[in-house]
Amino acid sequence: MNTIKNLFNIQYPIIQGGMIWASGWKLASAVSNAGGLGLIGSGSMYPDVLKEHIQKCKEATNKPFGVNIPMLYPNLEEIIKIIIDEGVKIVFTSAGNPKTYTKYLKDHGITVVHVVSSLKFALKAQDAGVDAIVAEGFEAGGHNGRDETTTLALIPMVKEKINIPLIAAGGIAIGASMYAVMALGADGVQVGSRFVASNEASSHMDFKKMVVEAQEGATQLTLKELAPVRLLKNKFYEDVTALYAKGPSVEELKTLLGRARAKRGMFEGDLVEGELEIGQVSGLIHDIKPAAAIVNDMISEFYTTKNRMEKLSI
Ligand SMILES: Cc1cc2nc3c(=O)[nH]c(=O)nc-3n(C[C@H](O)[C@H](O)[C@H](O)COP(=O)(O)O)c2cc1C
């Protein structure tokens, strides 16, 4: 029996990653209803907005779902109080120290998973007592580590050293990739970029279309001095690159980034001045479709690949 399916009581070991400005209750409940695990991305929500999303998600599905808490945003204590009061049973923390809240959340009966981008942090998360780890390679969309370790290298390195369930993330949008990371030792996958181009994602339609049009090489990890993030190369990205050419201070980078860039790009659809977070795998995303179709296609591709591999000899 698959440990990830057991841990969350779900049908398929596919987790839809929490994503600012993309994963509200509509996407999370659609993925959960399709047999995966949907996560509400609390990073772009004020506490009262999160509360509303959790309540709507509970109405839209009777399947398990969770909330992602990126620990770099404010209002953490308020967010955690809402999660506990609303009876959310699964939390994925990211971008922070897993020691801070893991015990507290677990004491409240919550299953806790932490997202890491390196072996060092995977070991820290295991020490902090998390139930599972998401190991995310440098291909992934959104914030990432500074070390640029790819999923192909990271998963077996983490698998070698940890003894709790392992979820692979970064560059996974098709069933063959899911098969590949499971061959490397992952128990399940977390998928982000592919779900941005879904009907239910709350991201702006123009951003979704840009993701579909993106080709190989369309993204770059940047802003390492602030919080490393993989972006589509639009005008805002070119402005960042031009500033880098001048050897900027952290303050100058912060000033250029300003406030609400991500909302402007991904939610309001300003493809020129906005920040557009997406993974390398956008080059493999060719359509916008329902979240359930994404889950079902990945599962059938997984089995097609498995059959192909059973006949393979080298
Ligand atoms: C638009 C976007 C927003 C994201 N926001 C978050 C976030 O708020 N919290 C988080 O832990 N990860 C975030 N991520 C990372 C995803 O949860 C997921 O781990 C990642 O997208 C997996 O790699 P992939 O994009 O190659 O599928 C984001 C990713 C994208 C594309």
Side-chain angles (χ1 to χ4, degrees), residues 250-271:
V250 170
E251 277 316 309
E252 283 171 310
L253 287 168
K254 270 191 192 158
T255 306
L256 174 61
L257 180 61
R259 285 179 57 79
R261 279 269 183 196
K263 179 181 187 190
R264 191 167 168 186
M266 295 187 282
F267 195 65
E268 294 169 356
D270 183 342
L271 304 182

